[in-house]
Amino acid sequence: MKILVIMVFVGAVLAGLSFWGVNRWLAHKSGNTVKTPKRRTDRQRLGIRYAEDGLFLIGNGAWTGVILPGNSDDFTSGTQQEFAFDRSTDFYKQLLMWVEAEQGRDASLICHELVRYQPVDTSRWEDELDRAMWDPSKMFQTLTAKKMAPHISETTPEPRRVLMIRLGTFTGPSMSDPITMIIGKADHVAEEHFRSSDLDPFRDAASTLLDRLSASGAELVTRADLVWLTRKPLYGHFQPPTERDYQSTRPWRAGYFDQIVDFDAHNLTDCVEITEPFPETAEARKSYTTTLVIADGDSVLPFHYHRAWGRALRAMPFQVEVSWRYKLMTSEAWKKLAKRRIGLIKDEAEDRGGAGKIEDAKFSEVLGDALDLERELDIEPTPAMIGQLRLTISCPSRKELTKAVQDVQAAFTDFTLHVPLNIQHALLREQIPGDPDPTYVGKVNLCDDTLGYDLGTRWTNLEALALARLDSSPSVGDAVEVGRSGQALGWRGVAIGYCMENGAVVHFDPHVQVARNNGAGIGIIGASGGGKSALALMLFFWMSESGTQVVAADPKNDIERFCYYISFGPQVLDPDFASHARAGTLGTPESKFQPINRDFWDQTDIVDLFGGPRGMLCAWALTDTYEDGEALARAQLELLIPDRADRDRLEPGFHAMKEHYRSAESSGESYVPTLTELSQSLYEEIETLSEAAGKDNPDWSSRLPAKHELSRLQGLKSRLEGASVNPYSRLLFGEADRSVGFRSIKKRRTVITLFRFTPPDPAKTPEQWSDAERDAAAAIFTALHRINNFFGDVTESVSPHSKRRGRRPRALFIDEAYIVTSIQAGRELISRALRQGRSLNFVVVFISQQAKDIQMIEKAMTDAAETDQNQFSTVFVFMQKGTAEAKQALSLLREPSDANEGEWDALAKRLLPYSKGGDLGNGVCVMRDVDNRVSVVQVDQMFVEISNASETNATISAHAQSTPISADAMDWSIDPAARDHVRSGVSTKAIAVADVDDHSYEFDDFAELLSN
């Protein structure tokens, strides 16, 4: 149990102003500089004098900033919640370690921590996505930019936790160029230029700090971020634009100014009335904003996960934003400061004693606390902080605001919050990042330690920052990681759904995890009907259209049918469609079925392992040399013919084929060996043995062994002839053309259908398999062998889109994974893919009904000492059938050793369907992302066309796929139901609050009667 000790409480009251509302401006970095006289104060300008990504001069302060990642605490035990608290505390200790290394043991650091709700910045997301994609199709580019981006821009604003850090005081000179002074004269704005020698020390400090914090997932605050953070508190409940609309407001010279906000507001008694910036209608709407501060609180607070006020604010039906200015002090700095103050209290006690004053109970308590603190400081001094916490609420009306304030005050059980009167404008202004402007309140009212207004100031130990759990967030999905070299690793992929708790967008691209040096596996598990196929098919579509080469093992024909509908639309319902598909004529002049989406179909290969042509998997057709072909053929025969002695009978056949191959090669002829020739090579030996075993042979001693050998040889011949016509194994026999078939995997999508494939019984050993099981195993082994070679290709190429050189991203989808893992070759392929995926830039999407299939693979890899890292970096768990399966699935999400039995049972129950008391329904899953964040997610296929193509329910799929599909992506339709179901906090319209004096009731059918 963690204990927070409140050390000192200081309060102050400020006088407020009645109105402020002028244009505010931000200066951009400039070039050459020389020393000039002191800068002229300009009250119509924000204090931001200079801004580049990662370094800002605000007033006289040099600041940097980072965007901090959230930490999911869903599906966690009490012990894991304690660990999260410790990690949060350690982050602030890392800050102090940095400043101590920079300034010495007696060091301190001024910070400004903000929590702001921001809509999805689609322009930044589109830029990230465009840079990351290898070869996006026209359809991909249109759907993401023209359809998906506008759709997700209207989702729930996401909380962004930003930490601004004051690097020091800037004392360097500046100058204004004459042109800027002339142009800026009308609005009293003059542009400043600074010397590189003055800026570089702060740039270096910012870079060093970012290197340290990047290990925690922190991202650099950019110029665009600073603009948005400046606008946000001044917009009330309206959302400021995230677009970079300020970049062209002034001519581009050595530098330029940007208009950041046109702010118009009135300071009311208990709030600020803000006029809607840039209204869309003639009558601008109003927003009402109030800021609360701490009035009082307990001196000792235990850490309790469910009482963490950051989590409590997150649960509010309205946005509560946080502004927390504080100064962190090393243990040495705190000890010196506290000792000085303790000395003053002790001096006063001596004075009181000498003067014979009557004992004061309150002063005696203060003296006792001071002496206790002194003893603690002598034994083990700890870091400390002084801070000013502000909570801000904005609503469309004052009545709603009053109710919201009451709700927030009620939610805080450890603190008393109050609304300071007549100074709300000053508290709002204080929330703008950087050094606050003392113009309106006077420097005397600013706190020297935090630079904020000296109101609600509290001294505490460092755990106060972690106590709030402001890092707690339900958000999951892709994130960008900044390496120590400053290089960004990863990007945010397409939107695949929303967090159920707050409606935040979930971005996911499977290749982000390998780009961030994590395992290559993505696990999707769940019972039938839960929605796992819908998620897998959506990922299959987006990945292949982005330029990733995707190979899919498709045992249920779901992926095949998906591709057919996207390509041919309702034609898939024609009774003749299946026969044309089996014949391989779809889209050719010989077929009446022509694709609607020609580009999609031309980049799709369907490999039918059940109805494909004989010889499609011929060993020599799939390889480049005779030796490679023979090696593959021998491996095929090991599965088809388990007896080594029988396989040895085929050696003369291999020898004959090799001689024929060499002869054809030397004469320039084309010759592709086949397994069929091996059975033919047995004819001569069978004929010889037939004579030896016949009645005409008078030698009984040789006749009986000959009969026995003849029987074995005829059985071998019969087995080979049977395999050459049996389902699956017949693909290994017969003539094959190296120019077609499964040899080349070059298109965006290759779907290997395993329809009606029955894997070997896992309870049997290979020696116990039936011939049918051997035939199927040999065919799937050959397909996996080809896939293995495909993924093992280390050839680099140039991206047609970005022109960067590297390995093209590739992916393997394995549906009903037990089918592939039932044979050794399948298990070896998956292990190799997981082990080498990061270096070869490919991923494995593993789809199964049970968690134990993933656990079996990871255990086998661990036992083989191949890896000690979790290779399934991302897991999606859909609803489980029963408690036992749910407990297995839960172990893929969280570490079970940290939970007691009761906690584990309660968490596992949440993975059951709604009907069994769980949290999951169709299309709802629990996601564990690459950063080990866990959250309940509503999957959203978004596009009606993708949803129709993904429909696997036989009773409704025909209706869904009778809907026409367009070749023009601009004609595709978005279904907003999933987004709107979970969306919150996006309304910008005032909600009318009932007036108690309004008696204009509606009487419906009685209206006419009453009027008479």
Side-chain angles (χ1 to χ4, degrees):
M1 185 66 68
K2 300 292 186 282
I3 303 298
L4 171 67
V5 181
I6 306 299
M7 300 176 185
V8 185
F9 171 78
V10 182
V13 178
L14 301 177
L17 297 181
S18 61
F19 172 83
W20 66 301
V22 291
N23 292 338
R24 310 292 169 180
W25 301 82
L26 170 68
H28 184 68
K29 64 179 181 179
S30 307
N32 299 327
T33 59
V34 297
K35 186 174 181 179
T36 58
K38 185 177 180 180
R39 178 175 62 91
R40 176 175 61 87
T41 301
D42 189 337
R43 294 187 180 181
Q44 284 190 309
R45 165 179 169 175
L46 284 173
I48 305 174
R49 303 164 57 192
Y50 177 85
E52 67 182 23
D53 290 354
L55 178 62
F56 317 109
L57 298 188
I58 307 174
N60 292 323
W63 292 77
T64 189
V66 290
I67 301 171
L68 301 176
N71 295 306
S72 167
D73 44 27
D74 204 0
F75 284 87
T76 54
S77 65
T79 301
Q80 290 165 340
Q81 292 155 14
E82 292 278 352
F83 289 160
F85 177 89
D86 290 337
R87 285 196 303 269
S88 184
T89 304
D90 288 342
F91 172 82
Y92 297 103
K93 290 180 179 178
Q94 283 286 324
L95 273 178
L96 277 178
M97 289 173 62
W98 172 79
V99 74
E100 192 171 1
E102 294 286 321
Q103 301 177 15
R105 295 182 61 194
D106 183 10
S108 60
L109 188 67
I110 296 175
C111 302
H112 187 189
E113 189 164 344
L114 300 160
V115 176
R116 296 283 183 253
Y117 285 81
Q118 182 177 20
V120 176
D121 186 349
T122 55
S123 59
R124 178 180 292 186
W125 167 68
E126 288 181 73
D127 290 344
E128 288 178 8
L129 197 64
D130 184 69
R131 288 193 301 269
M133 296 303 96
W134 183 266
D135 184 20
S137 67
K138 181 180 179 182
M139 177 181 286
F140 180 93
Q141 293 174 307
T142 301
L143 291 178
T144 53
K146 303 297 183 182
K147 296 285 186 175
M148 183 179 287
H151 178 73
I152 64 176
S153 68
E154 298 179 13
T155 54
T156 300
E158 300 178 32
R160 299 187 79 190
R161 181 167 158 246
V162 178
L163 182 64
M164 301 296 296
I165 302 164
R166 197 174 193 271
L167 301 172
T169 300
F170 184 82
T171 58
S174 66
M175 69 163 290
S176 301
D177 65 79
I179 297 178
T180 302
M181 293 181 69
I182 294 171
I183 294 177
K185 186 174 182 180
D187 52 16
H188 310 288
V189 176
E191 186 171 4
E192 292 183 275
H193 296 254
F194 302 92
R195 299 184 307 195
S196 296
S197 58
D198 295 321
L199 294 173
D200 285 345
F202 294 106
R203 291 182 176 128
D204 293 341
S207 177
T208 303
L209 180 58
L210 180 64
D211 286 345
R212 180 180 289 269
L213 298 184
S214 62
S216 303
E219 295 181 52
L220 187 71
V221 169
T222 66
R223 174 183 168 86
D225 295 323
L226 182 68
V227 169
W228 188 86
L229 291 169
T230 302
R231 288 173 167 172
K232 183 62 174 72
L234 306 181
Y235 266 64
H237 78 280
F238 306 112
Q239 280 292 348
T242 56
E243 297 83 3
R244 294 160 178 78
D245 55 325
Y246 51 81
Q247 288 187 345
S248 59
T249 55
R250 288 295 179 91
W252 190 291
R253 296 186 303 280
Y256 60 91
F257 270 89
D258 300 325
Q259 183 173 4
I260 298 307
V261 61
D262 188 4
F263 178 73
D264 184 4
H266 286 80
N267 187 45
L268 306 180
T269 303
D270 59 351
C271 65
V272 177
E273 181 189 70
I274 299 173
T275 302
E276 179 183 11
F278 310 108
E280 297 180 358
T281 60
E283 184 177 355
R285 295 173 293 173
K286 304 293 184 182
S287 181
Y288 297 87
T289 298
T290 195
T291 300
L292 295 86
V293 302
I294 296 178
D296 197 3
D298 297 336
S299 59
V300 178
L301 297 177
F303 169 67
H304 193 286
Y305 168 72
H306 296 288
R307 290 171 59 184
W309 58 264
R311 294 189 68 258
L313 296 183
R314 202 175 78 197
M316 292 290 177
F318 43 83
Q319 296 173 7
V320 182
E321 299 195 319
V322 178
S323 173
W324 201 347
R325 289 182 179 270
Y326 51 80
K327 180 179 183 179
L328 303 179
M329 290 171 287
T330 63
S331 56
E332 187 66 24
W334 163 238
K335 182 176 181 180
K336 287 185 178 181
L337 179 62
K339 287 276 191 178
R340 285 198 299 268
R341 302 207 172 191
I342 292 170
L344 295 175
I345 296 173
K346 290 167 72 176
D347 289 345
E348 183 175 350
E350 291 180 6
D351 293 342
R352 284 171 176 261
K357 289 186 177 180
I358 300 174
E359 186 172 337
D360 185 336
K362 187 173 182 180
F363 178 78
S364 296
E365 181 181 355
V366 171
L367 177 60
D369 290 341
L371 294 175
D372 289 341
L373 178 58
E374 185 177 35
R375 284 190 290 271
E376 291 178 11
L377 291 173
D378 290 335
I379 297 171
E380 188 179 0
T382 59
M385 62 166 283
I386 175 173
Q388 296 152 331
L389 175 64
R390 319 293 192 216
L391 302 179
T392 300
I393 310 168
S394 298
C395 292
S397 70
R398 293 192 74 177
K399 288 186 177 181
E400 287 179 273
L401 183 62
T402 300
K403 177 65 169 61
V405 168
Q406 292 171 351
D407 290 344
V408 171
Q409 289 173 325
F412 271 68
T413 57
D414 298 322
F415 302 102
T416 301
L417 298 174
H418 79 109
V419 178
L421 303 180
N422 299 317
I423 60 166
Q424 285 293 320
H425 115 276
L427 292 173
L428 186 63
R429 185 182 184 90
E430 180 199 55
Q431 297 182 43
I432 298 174
D435 289 13
D437 186 350
T439 303
Y440 298 105
V441 296
K443 285 187 177 182
V444 68
N445 291 316
L446 295 181
C447 175
D448 293 335
D449 292 296
T450 66
L451 304 183
Y453 303 128
D454 202 354
L455 180 66
T457 306
R458 297 173 70 85
W459 292 83
T460 71
N461 58 14
L462 215 57
E463 279 76 9
L465 295 164
L467 182 73
R469 288 305 313 277
L470 291 178
D471 61 317
S472 173
S473 169
S475 296
V476 290
D478 291 335
V480 178
E481 178 183 342
V482 180
R484 290 199 172 274
S485 63
Q487 181 180 8
L489 302 176
W491 58 92
R492 289 175 298 165
V494 296
I496 64 164
Y498 319 95
C499 293
M500 286 291 287
E501 181 176 329
N502 66 355
V505 178
V506 177
H507 295 274
F508 182 63
D509 182 335
H511 275 89
V512 170
Q513 61 192 47
V514 294
R516 294 181 55 192
N517 299 312
N518 288 277
I522 297 92
I524 304 177
I525 66 167
S528 297
K532 66 179 186 295
S533 293
L535 172 62
L537 290 168
M538 175 172 59
L539 293 177
F540 170 85
F541 174 81
W542 289 118
M543 292 178 71
S544 60
E545 285 298 286
S546 73
T548 297
Q549 276 189 293
V550 179
V551 176
D554 183 24
K556 298 182 297 184
N557 284 39
D558 291 343
I559 303 176
E560 179 189 32
R561 291 196 297 266
F562 178 91
C563 292
Y564 283 150
Y565 177 74
I566 295 293
S567 301
F568 294 91
Q571 296 179 79
V572 298
L573 301 179
D574 190 294
D576 297 331
F577 187 86
S579 62
H580 284 247
R582 287 194 299 271
T585 61
L586 291 174
T588 68
E590 290 75 27
S591 176
K592 66 178 181 179
F593 300 106
Q594 298 300 313
I596 296 169
N597 284 303
R598 168 62 71 176
D599 290 343
F600 189 90
W601 178 245
D602 287 347
Q603 284 294 319
T604 304
D605 259 340
I606 307 291
V607 180
D608 187 355
L609 289 194
F610 184 83
R614 290 182 74 245
M616 183 179 73
L617 298 181
C618 170
W620 286 274
L622 297 178
T623 52
D624 296 324
T625 67
Y626 175 85
E627 288 73 16
D628 289 343
E630 181 176 321
L632 177 56
R634 289 181 182 278
Q636 292 171 336
L637 288 172
E638 284 185 21
L639 292 168
L640 292 172
I641 304 170
D643 192 292
R644 175 64 182 272
D646 285 343
R647 295 199 303 272
D648 289 343
R649 293 283 189 178
L650 302 174
E651 287 304 317
F654 277 114
H655 180 73
M657 282 193 297
K658 187 173 184 179
E659 291 298 320
H660 189 178
Y661 185 89
R662 296 300 183 213
S663 175
E665 187 178 41
S666 61
S667 62
E669 298 176 3
S670 176
Y671 166 64
V672 180
T674 71
L675 288 181
T676 305
E677 296 177 54
L678 290 178
S679 61
Q680 294 172 350
S681 70
L682 298 175
Y683 289 155
E684 183 177 344
E685 188 173 357
I686 288 175
E687 185 177 346
T688 301
L689 287 173
S690 295
E691 294 177 358
K695 295 179 180 179
D696 297 336
N697 182 4
D699 185 0
W700 284 93
S701 62
S702 62
R703 188 172 170 184
L704 287 176
K707 249 181 131 176
H708 176 71
E709 286 299 313
L710 177 61
S711 176
R712 288 195 61 175
L713 208 59
Q714 287 175 331
L716 176 60
K717 178 175 175 292
S718 176
R719 172 72 182 113
L720 289 173
E721 290 175 344
S724 69
V725 295
N726 289 340
Y728 293 109
S729 58
R730 67 188 185 82
L731 305 179
L732 283 58
F733 292 79
E735 296 183 4
D737 184 351
R738 280 181 171 167
S739 64
V740 296
F742 195 30
R743 174 183 173 83
S744 176
I745 300 178
K746 294 183 178 179
K747 296 184 179 180
R748 293 180 183 272
R749 292 164 290 272
T750 299
V751 181
I752 305 169
T753 65
L754 306 175
F755 186 54
R756 285 180 281 186
F757 175 75
T758 303
D761 186 344
K764 295 180 180 179
T765 65
E767 291 75 17
Q768 296 172 320
W769 288 351
S770 67
D771 285 349
E773 289 174 317
R774 295 185 186 285
D775 293 342
I780 191 64
F781 161 79
T782 307
L784 294 172
H785 181 276
R786 180 67 196 98
I787 295 171
N788 194 45
N789 290 343
F790 165 68
F791 282 119
D793 184 3
V794 297
T795 305
E796 291 191 348
S797 57
V798 176
S799 163
H801 178 65
S802 66
K803 308 305 178 185
R804 70 179 185 274
R805 187 170 187 82
R807 294 192 178 101
R808 181 176 183 174
R810 297 174 179 179
L812 173 62
F813 277 66
I814 304 176
D815 197 1
E816 298 297 342
Y818 72 93
I819 291 179
V820 175
T821 59
S822 62
I823 65 172
Q824 181 65 26
R827 294 190 291 272
E828 290 176 354
L829 170 67
I830 295 172
S831 295
R832 179 171 183 255
L834 294 174
R835 186 175 62 251
Q836 300 181 358
R838 181 177 59 83
S839 59
L840 297 180
N841 199 22
F842 69 74
V843 297
V844 178
V845 181
F846 190 91
I847 309 152
S848 183
Q849 293 195 24
Q850 297 188 27
K852 67 180 182 180
D853 292 331
I854 290 179
Q855 293 164 339
M856 177 182 67
I857 292 174
E858 290 195 321
K859 183 178 184 304
M861 294 181 69
T862 301
D863 292 344
E866 292 181 345
T867 178
D868 58 357
Q869 180 186 6
N870 177 15
Q871 292 300 312
F872 285 87
S873 299
T874 302
V875 174
F876 298 89
V877 176
F878 287 81
M879 61 184 181
Q880 303 293 296
K881 287 183 177 180
T883 303
E885 292 90 343
K887 288 183 178 180
Q888 284 186 327
L890 181 60
S891 65
L892 297 177
L893 302 173
R894 295 293 191 190
E895 174 57 47
S897 61
D898 294 329
N900 59 47
E901 185 176 354
E903 288 176 322
W904 197 251
D905 289 345
L907 293 174
K909 185 178 180 180
R910 296 181 58 193
L911 299 179
L912 298 177
Y914 296 137
S915 59
K916 296 183 178 181
D919 289 355
L920 305 185
N922 185 270
V924 179
C925 67
V926 181
M927 178 184 182
R928 190 204 76 208
D929 68 13
V930 68
D931 293 307
N932 284 316
R933 298 176 299 179
V934 177
S935 189
V936 180
V937 171
Q938 170 69 63
V939 175
D940 185 12
Q941 291 184 307
M942 202 170 297
F943 292 93
V944 173
E945 290 76 5
I946 295 178
S947 177
N948 289 339
S950 304
E951 185 55 67
T952 58
N953 187 314
T955 60
I956 58 178
S957 61
H959 174 73
Q961 296 187 1
S962 66
T963 307
I965 191 170
S966 175
D968 186 354
M970 286 301 297
D971 294 333
W972 283 31
S973 302
I974 286 183
D975 182 358
R979 180 199 66 188
D980 295 346
H981 174 66
V982 297
R983 181 169 59 171
S984 62
V986 294
S987 175
T988 57
K989 296 182 179 179
I991 302 174
V993 179
D995 187 343
V996 295
D997 297 323
D998 182 7
H999 300 287
S1000 57
Y1001 296 96
E1002 296 181 0
F1003 293 99
D1004 300 325
D1005 294 341
F1006 295 99
E1008 184 177 355
L1009 176 64
L1010 293 174
S1011 65
N1012 293 329

